[in-house]
Amino acid sequence: MKLSKKIISVLTAVAMMTTLAACGNNGNNSSSSSNKGTSASSGGGDKVYHVGICQLREHEALDSATKGFQDALIEKLGEGNVKFDLQNAQGEATNCSTICNGFVTNNVDLIMANATGALQAAVTATNTIPVLGTSVTDYATALNLSNWEGHTGTNVSGTSDLAPIAQQEDMIPEVLPDVKMVGIAYCSSEPNSSYQAGLMKKALEEDNIEYKEYTAADSNEIQSVITTACDECDALYIPTDNTFASSVETIKNVVVPAGIPLFAGEAGLCAAGVATLSISYYDIGKITGEMAYDILVNGKDAGTMDIQTAPNVTKQYNKEICDTLNITVPEGYEELAVQE
């Protein structure tokens, strides 16, 4: 009986030593894993960031901006450290609201709002989660802000897709020296399009070129609006406008047979036009992604971050349509790579 007690005592001591050793090893492994995460080249550590992306609709410009945003964050954080919830609102404001409210419910770390309608929905949905816009022309107009100083002072920042309108206007008499009447066409429900139209009207007035304004309430009215404009004008101008950009083929099928040159606010729309002074939407998407990294990892306050713009603009021409309309562009224009 005494021997059994000794054996039990020895076994108990061994068991305790084994347990202590195991605990010590687990502590060492945990420390090693933590150090590995914080020293990772991605800069994001072990945290997985959840980012909601609300894109107003599908078209070339917005798609490029979204891709640039995702590429930048993956490059900065590492592919395993960021998860995107990309949702497309199909051009509907109510869908934007539903999507952004869902992001808030899911407590995402950041919302990227691609286009003005998406930005407005995100701002309505949250005043605490950081929101970054892209493909937004003028933030003061979109958010109804007065005393604009380049940043919002709220939970919002982002990038603008505004190209120099005065330089876009310069292209019209440069390509068409005898132009007399320019039609300005845009969607009446997009405030940023109206803002650009106002800048274009001012630039045309300074060059003593007459103009007429044509607006469509939605995509169903575009064909008839463009048809009327072609009957009354020598040339057309369409600013960056999501509704018109989603109807490029409809526009092309009217302006080309009518022989009316279209000058576009961005490269995607120029698939129906002769020339554009365009930014790279992929570039502004990348800038937005870099801003997101600064907010998520470096703790930057979105409200103090100035709205950023594209670093470069490029004069481009659509060779196919220029050839069809017998238009020769002057030197300094790059041939546009039109997506089929």
Side-chain angles (χ1 to χ4, degrees):
M1 191 70 176
K2 290 182 179 178
L3 182 61
S4 297
K5 287 182 179 180
K6 288 182 179 179
I7 292 173
I8 291 171
S9 298
V10 171
L11 291 175
T12 301
V14 171
M16 290 177 66
M17 291 175 65
T18 303
T19 302
L20 290 171
C23 289
N25 286 338
N26 285 340
N28 289 337
N29 287 341
S30 176
S31 176
S32 174
S33 174
S34 175
N35 290 337
K36 182 179 179 181
T38 56
S39 64
S41 60
S42 65
D46 288 334
K47 179 174 174 60
V48 176
Y49 295 94
H50 295 266
V51 176
I53 301 175
C54 178
Q55 182 171 317
L56 179 64
R57 64 171 76 240
E58 288 181 287
H59 64 68
E60 181 184 345
L62 299 190
D63 293 347
S64 294
T66 292
K67 187 175 190 311
F69 175 79
Q70 291 176 306
D71 286 353
L73 266 184
I74 290 171
E75 180 182 329
K76 288 278 192 178
L77 293 170
E79 191 163 4
N81 290 338
V82 58
K83 291 187 181 298
F84 300 105
D85 184 359
L86 170 58
Q87 297 191 44
N88 193 294
Q90 305 301 324
E92 297 291 337
T94 53
N95 290 345
C96 287
S97 296
T98 301
I99 291 167
C100 290
N101 286 330
F103 291 157
V104 174
T105 300
N106 293 332
N107 196 30
V108 298
D109 296 299
L110 181 141
I111 296 173
M112 194 279 264
N114 194 345
T116 301
L119 178 69
Q120 291 169 332
V123 169
T124 300
T126 180
N127 61 5
T128 55
I129 296 173
V131 174
L132 289 178
T134 193
S135 312
V136 176
T137 303
D138 182 68
Y139 282 74
T141 300
L143 302 179
N144 195 26
L145 300 174
S146 58
N147 300 320
W148 178 246
E149 296 180 350
H151 54 269
T152 67
T154 64
N155 60 317
V156 180
S157 190
T159 54
S160 168
D161 63 356
L162 181 63
I165 302 296
Q167 292 181 43
Q168 288 185 342
E169 188 274 339
D170 287 341
M171 294 190 305
I172 300 175
E174 186 175 67
V175 175
L176 301 174
D178 297 326
V179 66
K180 292 181 173 57
M181 177 69 71
V182 175
I184 304 172
Y186 61 95
C187 179
S188 57
S189 63
E190 296 195 29
N192 282 310
S193 299
S194 177
Y195 174 77
Q196 293 171 84
L199 295 177
M200 175 56 67
K201 287 186 283 187
K202 181 180 178 181
L204 288 167
E205 288 169 359
E206 290 175 355
D207 280 344
N208 296 314
I209 299 173
E210 294 186 71
Y211 60 83
K212 287 187 177 182
E213 201 167 1
Y214 302 87
T215 61
D218 54 43
S219 58
N220 296 323
E221 296 182 0
I222 288 177
Q223 184 171 355
S224 62
V225 165
I226 295 298
T227 300
T228 301
C230 285
D231 290 339
E232 299 174 352
C233 301
D234 305 319
L236 298 183
Y237 170 76
I238 300 177
T240 56
D241 182 292
N242 291 300
T243 304
F244 275 73
S246 65
S247 302
V248 170
E249 282 302 311
T250 298
I251 297 167
K252 181 179 179 180
N253 290 337
V254 176
V255 297
V256 175
I260 300 298
L262 165 66
F263 294 83
E266 49 94 4
L269 269 165
C270 201
V274 296
T276 182
L277 180 76
S278 184
I279 67 165
S280 165
Y281 277 80
Y282 181 83
D283 285 351
I284 63 169
K286 283 205 74 172
I287 293 170
T288 312
E290 291 164 358
M291 295 172 74
Y293 177 83
D294 273 344
I295 291 170
L296 294 172
V297 177
N298 297 329
K300 289 285 187 70
D301 177 6
T304 65
M305 299 173 75
D306 284 347
I307 302 302
Q308 302 295 305
T309 57
N312 301 300
V313 292
T314 306
K315 285 183 175 182
Q316 296 176 299
Y317 76 102
N318 186 328
K319 186 178 186 304
E320 176 192 353
I321 294 181
C322 285
D323 288 348
T324 300
L325 301 183
N326 295 315
I327 290 174
T328 302
V329 298
E331 292 184 2
Y333 286 73
E334 295 180 5
E335 184 177 340
L336 179 69
V338 179
Q339 291 189 355
E340 297 297 335

